[in-house]
Amino acid sequence: MLTVSNLSVQFGKRILFDEVNVTFTQGNCYGIIGANGAGKSTFMKILSGQMDPTSGKVILEPGKRMSVLNQNHNMFDDHTVLETVLMGNKVLYAIKAEMDALYADYNDANADRIGELQVQFEEMNGWNADSDAASMLSNLGISADYHHTLMSEMEGKLKVRVLLAQALFGNPDVLIMDEPTNDLDFETIQWLENFLANYENTVLVVSHDRHFLDAVCTHISDIDFGKINHYSGNYTFWYESSQLAAKQRAQQNKKAEEKKAELEEFIRRFSANVAKSKQATSRKKMIEKLNLDEIKPSSRRYPAIIFDQEREAGDQILNIENLSYSLDGETLFKEVDLNMAKGDKIVVLSNDSRATSAFYEIINGNLQPDTGKFEWGITTIQSYLPADNSAFFNNDYTLVDWLRQWAKTEEERDEVYVRGFLGKMIFSGEEALKTSRVLSGGEKVRCMISRMMMLRANVLMLDEPTNHLDLESIQAFNNSLKNFKGSVLFTTHDHEFAQTVANRVLEITPKGIIDRYMSFDDYLEDPKIKELRKNMYA
């Protein structure tokens, strides 16, 4: 059990947390959520002892071990991969290190100490530590060939996986993870989801991946108004119930009986949905106990993302023939053939993000392919959100003047008109007069979305559109694309985004393509496609 008692955090005059009292119990997984700046990362650092609160304390039950996903990717550069994982259990690793040192200088004087250490080591299942660590690494996609490699020689994405294995190693009593799915592929995330869904100890996780939060969380811990409140259920349940709570509070004249019936129907629907979960029984009981009055309307602001089309496209959207591209002699993809139909919403996949980014750059005329050609339908209007948007912000324009660059008429250049688009993306008042150079990553993406809305395209191209966005913006973006009547090509690491938007999957590989009209989940689970994908990257 982990308890937070009377915790307050203040920076200057700003109060981040005010007398927070909350308990995290065994067997539950808590998704820590809150708007940008609410204090999620600060709270996790305080829990893990990396930062002190202004007042109050954090109490870990005596004899329990806490493990934290390390964010410093270079901390273990002088150690091998396997050794780095073992260091996740500090007590076990210290015993092993002392035994190794004593064995290296063995004599009668230290024999008794070695015996004591061996007993402790065996009680902690130490003799299986190496094989357990190796198994954990393999499950996270780090093959045995790398297990004795120095961390300094590992590329960044693989380091992330090693540090994740380190955090999970040794069955910690409390596991704290900030954005654990970053740089993981869908298969590895799926393995982690299954691992945590069956985990019997306490987990606290911050993530922008809604599918991940839905798969692993028994509770949502919402940071809002300087407090932290637990709510039973996963992220989607919290989101939809908070929306229902806000709606019902806004309808003050609605009869109590009608509100109760609406709540009961909502609970019935979610109770049916959780039946698929490994934690179904406990979640169902939690949901049945839900009191909507306990859920407060959030202080969060959700952007209003609405993609209107200047005109409806005809039947011919995009035709691609024999498109191939290589970089420094390495083939990223080849022989891409695609006939995109009206209304297609295609998720474009690859194991290499350079391939998908190059694909978008080619069909936007910014990059020359090795072979092949493409042709857009004459009625199409395209709009593109690149993964790297830095070229758009190398100026000192205010946001109003920045967005004016894409106005097509005098009416669209009007300040009131431009501010309307910025306001929808939560740039209101003085915020619309910020200069483009000082924007955060999330603010830049919201500006790019404002630009796309102004262009009123009927074909949207999105390369990792959720990068840098908070959960509120991701949710709004996701909903807008589900409702968009035009065509979409997009690449994302957000599972929920892919599953709820795409009706077609295109995977581009060094050996050709896989193109299927099916849902994203069905694509990942199809045994024949799994085998085909393996061969495409072999």
Side-chain angles (χ1 to χ4, degrees), residues 385-386 392-393 402 444-452:
L385 177 63
F392 288 84
F393 296 96
W402 182 89
K444 286 179 179 178
V445 176
R446 285 192 278 128
C447 281
M448 294 294 289
I449 297 171
S450 296
R451 169 183 173 271
M452 294 185 82

Side-chain angles (χ1 to χ4, degrees), residues 74-144:
N74 301 317
M75 181 178 285
F76 303 95
D77 278 359
D78 295 334
H79 301 276
T80 67
V81 166
L82 191 66
E83 190 177 23
T84 299
V85 176
L86 294 174
M87 293 169 80
N89 188 333
K90 293 179 182 178
V91 175
L92 178 67
Y93 181 76
I95 292 172
K96 183 178 185 297
E98 186 178 350
M99 281 199 308
D100 290 343
L102 292 172
Y103 273 126
D105 186 29
Y106 183 82
N107 56 58
D108 290 343
N110 59 30
D112 287 345
R113 178 57 180 163
I114 289 174
E116 292 173 8
L117 292 171
Q118 283 180 334
V119 171
Q120 295 178 48
F121 197 62
E122 186 165 355
E123 287 175 349
M124 298 181 71
N125 198 30
W127 303 116
N128 293 321
D130 282 8
S131 61
D132 289 346
S135 177
M136 184 72 71
L137 285 165
S138 296
N139 286 328
L140 288 167
I142 307 291
S143 69

Side-chain angles (χ1 to χ4, degrees), residues 52-82:
D52 292 326
T54 305
S55 61
K57 55 186 177 180
V58 175
I59 305 161
L60 179 64
E61 189 177 340
K64 300 297 184 183
R65 182 171 75 87
M66 177 186 290
S67 182
V68 181
L69 176 59
N70 200 302
Q71 301 294 323
N72 183 348
H73 297 174
N74 301 317
M75 181 178 285
F76 303 95
D77 278 359
D78 295 334
H79 301 276
T80 67
V81 166
L82 191 66

Side-chain angles (χ1 to χ4, degrees), residues 401-460:
D401 288 335
W402 182 89
L403 191 55
R404 272 194 180 121
Q405 297 175 89
W406 291 280
K408 298 175 184 177
T409 66
E410 282 303 316
E411 179 189 358
E412 291 178 358
R413 292 185 182 90
D414 180 76
E415 182 167 338
V416 174
Y417 184 89
V418 174
R419 278 180 173 269
F421 280 92
L422 291 170
K424 289 174 183 176
M425 295 308 299
I426 324 179
F427 293 111
S428 56
E430 292 299 311
E431 288 182 316
L433 299 177
K434 282 184 176 181
T435 59
S436 58
R437 287 187 191 274
V438 304
L439 300 177
S440 68
E443 288 173 327
K444 286 179 179 178
V445 176
R446 285 192 278 128
C447 281
M448 294 294 289
I449 297 171
S450 296
R451 169 183 173 271
M452 294 185 82
M453 289 194 293
M454 178 177 271
L455 293 173
R456 292 182 293 160
N458 49 34
V459 181
L460 307 180

Side-chain angles (χ1 to χ4, degrees), residues 224-239:
D224 208 0
F225 304 107
K227 301 290 186 182
I228 300 177
N229 291 296
H230 292 328
Y231 300 106
S232 300
N234 59 22
Y235 175 78
T236 297
F237 185 79
W238 170 85
Y239 170 74

Side-chain angles (χ1 to χ4, degrees), residues 188-208:
T188 307
I189 292 173
Q190 191 173 51
W191 176 86
L192 181 60
E193 287 174 353
N194 290 331
F195 180 90
L196 293 177
N198 291 296
Y199 200 64
E200 296 181 353
N201 293 332
T202 306
V203 181
L204 287 78
V205 60
V206 171
S207 177
H208 286 85

